Amino acid sequence: MTSGTNIISATIKFTTNGNFNGVDSKGCNMIGKFTPAASGRYYISTITFGQINCAAAGETLTGNSILDDNDNNLLLRATNGSGDIGMSFGS
């Protein structure tokens, strides 16, 4: 995950219905959901951060996510109006 100039790792668990939860290496908990867009080419995404050890503590961000051509890496870009976050998940 990236936030500003920092790069940190996170462990994320996905379910078959598009929900996910995780925790990063600083102890920030997060939950979210990926919903397929009507075109099927990307996902509408939300992510909510916990109150402790999170740069966006208590905030819910909304954005878009895409899979790479091999379905191995997922890129999420979300914003809350005052800032944004980029997350990259890889296998």
Side-chain angles (χ1 to χ4, degrees):
M1 292 190 329
T2 61
S3 175
T5 59
N6 298 323
I7 297 173
I8 56 176
S9 63
T11 300
I12 307 291
K13 295 179 183 177
F14 295 92
T15 63
T16 56
N17 64 0
N19 292 324
F20 67 91
N21 63 63
V23 62
D24 71 19
S25 58
K26 294 188 177 203
C28 172
N29 291 299
M30 62 200 80
I31 59 170
K33 177 143 182 96
F34 296 107
T35 304
S39 69
R41 298 185 64 193
Y42 65 95
Y43 298 91
I44 300 164
S45 308
T46 59
I47 183 168
T48 301
F49 294 94
Q51 295 288 342
I52 301 171
N53 298 326
C54 298
E59 296 184 38
T60 298
L61 286 76
T62 303
N64 297 311
S65 300
I66 58 172
L67 284 168
D68 69 4
D69 289 339
N70 297 320
D71 294 341
N72 291 326
N73 296 293
L74 178 69
L75 176 64
L76 181 150
R77 188 85 180 159
T79 185
N80 66 355
S82 62
D84 62 84
I85 186 166
M87 301 174 76
S88 177
F89 306 103
S91 59

